[in-house]
């Protein structure tokens, strides 16, 4: 996969979020992953290690969080992610710390794509978060 950052930015604008429980739109939160930093496709074991490091950072914040999977609409690409109930500034710091090009921020029920390391891109509102959610009985196994 050899994407330009513009291609990636377009891909990031059509996320599907797999959750085992719905999240209330009454609260603001960010969706952050540690997988595939700077769009470098890593092995499943490398991504699991980064995910554990991100989870430790999230736990240190002392804010509520929930596991989820961010995916392409056709499920051809999936990344373990976290919905973290922190403010935008803290979320951007975490995204940058884990070398992510962007994070998602949910405010008043709307989800936005927010650039972290991608210069020259503006935040994009993607509409209602609830329209991008698929409830599943369990999250997919990310070992493949």
């Amino acid at each position: 996969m050899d994407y330009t950052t513009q291609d990636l930015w377009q891909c990031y604008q059509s996320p599907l979020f797999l959750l085992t429980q719905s999240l209330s739109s009454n609260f603001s939160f960010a969706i952050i992953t540690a997988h595939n930093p700077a769009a470098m496709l890593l092995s499943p074991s490398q991504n699991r290690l980064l995910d554990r490091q991100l989870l430790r950072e999230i736990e240190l914040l002392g804010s509520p969080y929930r596991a989820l999977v961010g995916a392409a609409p056709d499920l051809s690409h999936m990344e373990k992610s976290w919905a973290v109930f922190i403010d935008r500034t803290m979320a951007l710091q975490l995204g940058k710390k884990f070398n992510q090009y962007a994070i998602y921020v949910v405010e008043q029920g709307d989800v936005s794509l927010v650039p972290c390391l991608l210069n020259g891109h503006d935040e994009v509102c993607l509409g209602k978060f609830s329209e991008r959610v698929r409830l599943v009985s369990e999250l997919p196994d990310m070992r493949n």
Side-chain angles (χ1 to χ4, degrees):
M1 229 187 291
D2 188 22
Y3 288 116
T4 67
T5 55
Q6 188 59 40
D7 292 335
L8 286 169
W9 191 249
Q10 289 301 314
C11 289
Y12 295 163
Q13 291 181 46
S14 57
L16 177 65
F17 300 106
L18 307 178
L19 296 113
T20 56
Q21 295 177 312
S22 38
L23 290 170
S24 172
S25 59
N26 295 331
F27 302 99
S28 295
F29 56 92
I31 299 171
I32 306 168
T33 186
H35 281 211
N36 304 315
M40 288 182 12
L41 288 177
L42 299 182
S43 70
S45 61
Q46 291 170 309
N47 279 327
R48 280 193 304 278
L49 177 62
L50 288 171
D51 182 62
R52 285 194 295 271
Q53 291 171 357
L54 175 57
L55 179 56
R56 278 195 294 275
E57 293 285 331
I58 291 168
E59 288 173 335
L60 288 173
L61 296 173
S63 296
Y65 60 89
R66 175 100 39 88
L68 62 101
V69 169
D74 63 0
L75 304 179
S76 61
H77 182 81
M78 294 188 270
E79 295 186 357
K80 171 82 175 290
S81 303
W82 299 93
V84 189
F85 293 82
I86 55 177
D87 67 37
R88 178 184 290 254
T89 302
M90 291 175 72
L92 283 166
Q93 288 172 355
L94 264 183
K96 288 175 183 174
K97 183 171 188 171
F98 285 87
N99 295 309
Q100 295 299 308
Y101 279 167
I103 62 171
Y104 296 96
V105 174
V106 179
E107 295 169 322
Q108 299 177 339
D110 289 327
V111 61
S112 294
L113 175 62
V114 182
C116 284
L117 298 180
L118 279 183
N119 295 324
H121 288 84
D122 294 323
E123 180 173 328
V124 179
C125 182
L126 305 175
K128 293 291 176 203
F129 176 70
S130 60
E131 294 174 4
R132 296 190 174 273
V133 169
R134 180 181 300 166
L135 291 179
V136 294
S137 57
E138 62 183 11
L139 294 178
D141 185 358
M142 304 302 292
R143 294 174 204 241
N144 300 337

